[in-house]
Amino acid sequence: MSNTAPNGLRAVPDLPAIAPAELLDQITSFVSRFSVFPDRHTAPMLALWYAHTHAIEHFYTTPRLVLDSVEPGSGKTRVLEVAQFLVRKPEMTISATTAAVFRMLCDGPIALLFDEIDAVFSAKNGGNNEDLRGLLNSGYKRSATVARCVGDASRMKVERFPTFAPVALAGIAGVMPATITTRAITVHMRRRAPHERVEAFRERRVENEATPLREQLAAWLDRVGEEHLVGAEPVMPEQVTDRAAEVWEPLLAIADLAGGHWPETARTAAVHFVGQATETGTSVGTTLLADLRALFAAHETDRMATSDILGRLCDNEEAGWADLDGRPLDARRLAKELARYGVRPGSIRIGGHVTKGYTIAGPLTDAFTRYLPALTETPSPGAVTSVTSVTPQVRGVTDPDDVTATAVTPPVEPPKPTPPEHAGVTDVAVTPPSSVTPLTRHVTAVTDVTDADGGA
């Protein structure tokens, strides 16, 4: 009788049974011996991801696992090297062609462990590998296939090939297409600090120690998978919705099946990784929306001139808007990015002057709601908050006599009627001219006043 497991690795017969929760604990401890992970959630997540490869036929989705880092030598390859002894039918590869990956996936189900993926998608190497990107995306769901023409010229026909398979991708951060990362759980690996130690990786020893764990995983999930995992709908944390819920469904289903602390551990990890992905963002547009929201909130205003927005965004060195693709953010690029979300500049009145700018009402608020997480009391690092104050807005003044001020020089003239050429311009409360010394004491809340053309 052959002593080879279905994935080509050595099998260990007659293993003593291990409780599923304890088995996942052992795998968590095992992978932690060879890597220093950035947080406490990564090792348990990896244990669940490795487990789901042994039950892949019971799931509708398979989350991509992305291991990235800002610099080489951060332990990404080591994670894949250990993973190959724990997953089902591992295929370790580097810089494989699309045709080769296609054939490997068609022979699946396998677990594709793709190292140095940045060499494939990096702009330095062309960065335009749409066939491979589409192939990796299609394998995320069981229902997706890749169509190919087969046969000779006289008997050509279209045949659809399944590509559903678990995939782990390791590479330098910043080159992975967003269509892949939104289907993935991403671990941002870091170089080890001088005081951090891991065990030396010796392939034969790691294989011998990992084999019983892998075989126990396979036996457990083969025994109970069809009954308990097919059609499983694990309860998601409220922060995990839509695509993120699809991504985490297989892992939470396995955690629930394992029992013990694993249902809670898995959901805590899900919230962590989903929150991390939300903070990281996926595009220039969402980053711009986040900084605009912070800018309006910091100055407690509902409208700003385009020139003010550009000046304050570019003045913030941490935000990076002063060097966007080699030049500062300008009005044209600002309008282009925001137009994708249905937001367009318009004529607004600030301090009695009409200018081009943006108001927070309408499409901009809608974009904040749809594409950004809920606003928290503590701004995220890098948000545009410490910037020069915009022209203060004096809101809702009805009786000037009720306003107490100090050292006022010339009196404030009443607002003038709106000229016909400015009809339809969004209005705003009048700002005192620059010659007026700013108020130094608290202004009593007062009600709205209507100007000559009906604006507030």
Side-chain angles (χ1 to χ4, degrees), residues 107-420:
D107 291 337
I110 63 169
L112 180 64
L113 310 177
F114 205 132
D115 201 6
E116 297 184 13
I117 193 67
D118 52 293
V120 176
F121 292 115
S122 173
K124 295 180 180 179
N125 299 323
N128 186 19
N129 211 319
E130 287 299 302
D131 286 344
L132 181 60
R133 183 191 63 80
L135 187 64
L136 296 176
N137 287 346
S138 71
Y140 164 74
K141 286 187 177 182
R142 175 176 298 281
S143 58
T145 60
V146 171
R148 290 288 186 271
C149 292
V150 297
D152 54 34
S154 61
R155 298 180 180 178
M156 190 75 68
K157 65 177 182 177
V158 175
E159 188 169 343
R160 291 169 176 81
F161 297 90
T163 55
F164 182 63
V167 175
L169 306 164
I172 299 298
V175 301
M176 204 76 68
T179 53
I180 291 178
T181 57
T182 55
R183 294 169 168 83
I185 301 169
T186 300
V187 180
H188 303 295
M189 298 293 291
R190 304 174 300 183
R191 283 185 179 175
R192 286 188 289 114
H195 67 278
E196 293 174 328
R197 295 286 184 269
V198 295
E199 291 188 27
F201 179 81
R202 298 289 182 265
E203 184 171 321
R204 185 173 295 276
R205 187 182 71 193
V206 171
E207 178 182 353
N208 288 339
E209 294 182 15
T211 297
L213 299 176
R214 185 195 69 248
E215 293 303 314
Q216 287 280 11
L217 270 182
W220 166 46
L221 293 168
D222 181 64
R223 184 175 64 253
V224 301
E226 185 170 358
E227 179 181 356
H228 296 282
L229 296 179
V230 176
E233 297 181 5
V235 176
M236 294 288 161
E238 63 179 15
Q239 301 93 327
V240 182
T241 60
D242 302 326
R243 175 67 62 77
E246 277 190 349
V247 167
W248 278 91
E249 186 172 274
L251 274 57
L252 296 189
I254 289 176
D256 288 346
L257 189 58
H261 68 88
W262 278 95
E264 180 180 355
T265 296
R267 284 166 175 80
T268 303
V271 170
H272 166 77
F273 283 106
V274 171
Q276 188 179 72
T278 302
E279 292 172 4
T280 302
T282 58
S283 69
V284 172
T286 54
T287 303
L288 179 58
L289 287 175
D291 282 357
L292 279 177
R293 184 175 67 177
L295 192 61
F296 278 100
H299 300 297
E300 298 182 347
T301 183
D302 64 350
R303 62 198 67 205
M304 288 183 69
T306 298
S307 57
D308 282 341
I309 291 174
L310 293 174
R312 285 154 180 79
L313 288 178
C314 292
D315 283 347
N316 189 298
E317 297 180 357
E318 295 182 7
W321 298 112
D323 184 13
L324 184 64
D325 299 331
R327 59 182 183 179
L329 178 69
D330 56 21
R332 183 176 181 180
R333 179 68 183 272
L334 177 66
K336 179 181 178 181
E337 292 294 338
L338 293 178
R340 303 179 187 186
Y341 306 96
V343 179
R344 291 175 174 79
S347 296
I348 60 175
R349 182 181 293 113
I350 298 179
H353 300 285
V354 176
T355 185
K356 286 290 185 181
Y358 295 85
T359 62
I360 201 170
L364 192 54
T365 294
D366 183 67
F368 292 162
T369 302
R370 293 177 185 276
Y371 297 100
L372 299 179
L375 188 63
T376 58
E377 295 182 2
T378 304
S380 60
V384 183
T385 54
S386 56
V387 291
T388 307
S389 176
V390 295
T391 304
Q393 304 297 318
V394 181
R395 299 179 181 175
V397 178
T398 54
D399 187 356
D401 294 334
D402 290 339
V403 180
T404 304
T406 60
V408 177
T409 47
V412 179
E413 295 182 3
K416 298 179 180 180
T418 302

Side-chain angles (χ1 to χ4, degrees), residues 24-97:
L24 292 175
D25 287 343
Q26 290 185 17
I27 295 173
T28 300
S29 299
F30 182 77
V31 299
S32 298
R33 288 164 49 189
F34 307 100
S35 300
V36 174
F37 295 115
D39 51 68
R40 63 186 176 87
H41 307 288
T42 298
M45 180 275 294
L46 291 176
L48 291 170
W49 194 87
Y50 300 157
H52 106 282
T53 68
H54 294 277
I56 191 63
E57 65 273 13
H58 304 312
F59 298 118
Y60 178 63
T61 60
T62 170
R64 274 60 189 107
L65 173 63
V66 171
L67 305 159
D68 70 12
S69 66
V70 295
E71 294 290 345
S74 300
K76 303 180 299 296
T77 300
R78 182 55 41 82
V79 175
L80 296 185
E81 288 175 335
V82 175
Q84 68 181 318
F85 300 112
L86 292 167
V87 299
R88 175 183 179 179
K89 292 188 177 180
E91 284 285 352
M92 280 278 289
T93 187
I94 297 177
S95 298
T97 65

